[in-house]
Amino acid sequence: MSQATIPAPRSGYNRSKSGGSKFELAAWLYMRLSGILLVVLIFGHLYVNMIAGEGVQQIDFGFVAGKWASPFWQIWDLLMLWLAMLHGTNGMRTIISDYAEKPATRMWWQIILYASSLTIIVLGTLVIYTFEPCPAGADPSVLASFCTAD
Amino acid sequence: MTTEIAEPASKVELPSHLSGDAGEIPSFECTIRIARFVPEQDEEPHWEDYQVTMYGTDRVLDALHKIKWEIDGSLSFRRSCAHGICGSDAMRINGRNRLACKTLLKDLDTSKPITVEPIKGLPVEKDLIVDMEPFFQSYREIMPFLITTGNEPTRERLQSQEDRARFDDTTKCILCAACTSSCPVFWTDGQYFGPAAIVNAHRFIFDSRDEGGDLRLEILNDKEGVWRCRTTFNCSEACPRGIEVTKAIAEVKQALFTRAF
């Protein structure tokens, strides 16, 4: 006498195993550490730009050029850019994974997120390191006043 | 107007000098608004109101019983012990996850309808009954049993009071799913292990007699594991047993962290 097998009423959720990856742990830790660093970097940045010296009035093309002439401010701003962008991107990544319900929607949001983050990080880094306030051979009418004031 | 006779507070006949009016229980009218869903008839759940006369000592579960037994016998819900131990009757009462058997009607605002819905994030089977399988699946995945090596001792596995106290809070779980189904991360796609599974993993990870802690930590290090917790504290608030769920999750995170470095 054969017994009819009763199928399981419902197949459970299929959870994809990430298999011993430390990525989530690292991301969690990164959020905390970069947060602490960013508090110092951002408030330092705000103080130097807006309060120290002549205050907010001093900010112009020349002021930025002056700051980026020093490796100290180049590294400060680069750190701020990378830490903040990765911090924000990771935050957005968690928001997308929490709120996007369809896998396709989730994928598209993630593509947009990673592409825009990458663009800003690359462009920002380029600007910090290749910033040339007075490019040689440029039309003098478009240059800042201090370039021609010899 | 019909007058209903209240059931006596005690089945024991009290002598006249002991009984009196002091113990009389106030009664009140209240509306219970229940999310009804019959899969054979309904496309989606709908609200239905029931007017019942209840007493100051009654709980939401008593109101549900009254409706099922006296008004509409087709109302379906789970309950077993009816005393907050079995964890069968977790439901969303006035928008919060509670056990119907531990929620007194007089503690709710009876001037407005009391809403009763099934817990969120799990597939509804009928009325207030949900399919608990996804919940228990993640519970099974964390291996909720003692894992040891070597020969079995001939006597009990002894443990100091301090060692026992380490995980005392998480032994109180009754698997009612109030926490997991209150978690907004779980609502999204049901992939997250959920607070209940983590609490039950915590119970063994921090047990000095257990040797499977590493295995469980590895399971919870998954991208759907503890790192999806956003510390919104919904679970701690929902737990009818008063377990500090979010704290337990944080302790598992910390254990993973110290293991990695």
Side-chain angles (χ1 to χ4, degrees), chain B residues 3-169:
Chain B
T3 47
E4 267 186 76
I5 300 147
E7 210 176 86
S10 171
K11 305 267 191 227
V12 182
E13 289 283 349
L14 289 170
S16 56
H17 68 279
L18 284 177
S19 63
D21 295 340
E24 208 181 328
I25 305 156
S27 77
F28 46 83
E29 285 283 324
C30 61
T31 308
I32 312 287
R33 181 168 289 172
I34 302 175
R36 298 293 309 268
F37 174 70
V38 183
E40 288 84 10
Q41 300 167 12
D42 305 326
E43 287 289 308
E44 53 186 49
H46 62 276
W47 294 109
E48 227 155 279
D49 286 7
Y50 300 90
Q51 288 282 341
V52 279
T53 306
M54 302 306 297
Y55 298 90
T57 47
D58 283 338
R59 306 151 299 167
V60 173
L61 183 66
D62 297 310
L64 293 176
H65 277 155
K66 192 161 191 153
I67 294 163
K68 184 172 176 71
W69 294 340
E70 294 171 17
I71 303 172
D72 184 349
S74 71
L75 176 68
S76 306
F77 54 90
R78 281 197 186 103
R79 74 102 172 84
S80 284
C81 77
H83 289 83
I85 293 299
C86 71
S88 304
D89 63 351
M91 45 191 81
R92 219 165 131 84
I93 298 162
N94 276 353
R96 301 172 73 139
N97 281 4
R98 300 152 174 273
L99 294 183
C101 58
K102 279 185 87 174
T103 310
L104 282 170
L105 284 166
K106 70 178 176 65
D107 293 340
L108 303 168
D109 181 5
T110 47
S111 66
K112 282 188 274 181
I114 294 159
T115 63
V116 182
E117 301 160 72
I119 46 178
K120 269 182 88 168
L122 292 163
V124 178
E125 288 187 333
K126 191 189 175 201
D127 296 340
L128 302 173
I129 297 176
V130 295
D131 179 10
M132 299 280 279
E133 189 45 36
F135 171 81
F136 284 118
Q137 192 192 337
S138 57
Y139 173 60
R140 283 192 296 267
E141 268 180 65
I142 56 98
M143 302 184 287
F145 40 80
L146 189 77
I147 299 172
T148 56
T149 52
N151 294 326
E152 228 169 274
T154 50
R155 49 180 295 193
E156 310 93 301
R157 296 172 196 273
L158 293 178
Q159 185 173 42
S160 72
Q161 287 192 6
E162 293 75 43
D163 283 347
R164 177 61 177 73
R166 181 70 193 84
F167 61 93
D168 183 65
D169 199 37

Side-chain angles (χ1 to χ4, degrees), chain B residues 200-249:
Chain B
N200 285 282
H202 178 285
R203 183 250 170 274
F204 286 100
I205 290 167
F206 293 95
D207 187 338
S208 60
R209 299 162 297 184
D210 185 84
E211 292 168 45
D214 226 35
L215 285 168
R216 296 193 182 87
L217 285 173
E218 198 47 62
I219 292 163
L220 292 177
N221 196 21
D222 190 272
K223 74 175 167 61
E224 305 296 346
V226 287
W227 307 115
R228 275 204 89 174
C229 169
R230 308 279 177 255
T231 57
T232 53
F233 284 88
N234 276 19
C235 49
S236 302
E237 214 169 284
C239 182
R241 305 281 294 162
I243 301 172
E244 293 176 288
V245 184
T246 315
K247 188 182 167 198
I249 299 174

Side-chain angles (χ1 to χ4, degrees), chain B residues 184-197:
Chain B
V185 178
F186 183 78
W187 292 339
T188 311
D189 54 5
Q191 293 284 303
Y192 175 41
F193 270 88

Side-chain angles (χ1 to χ4, degrees), chain A residues 44-59 63 73:
Chain A
H45 171 84
L46 288 175
Y47 178 77
V48 167
N49 281 21
M50 301 191 176
I51 296 164
E54 294 164 47
V56 73
Q57 311 299 335
Q58 69 192 338
I59 301 177
F63 177 77
W73 287 112

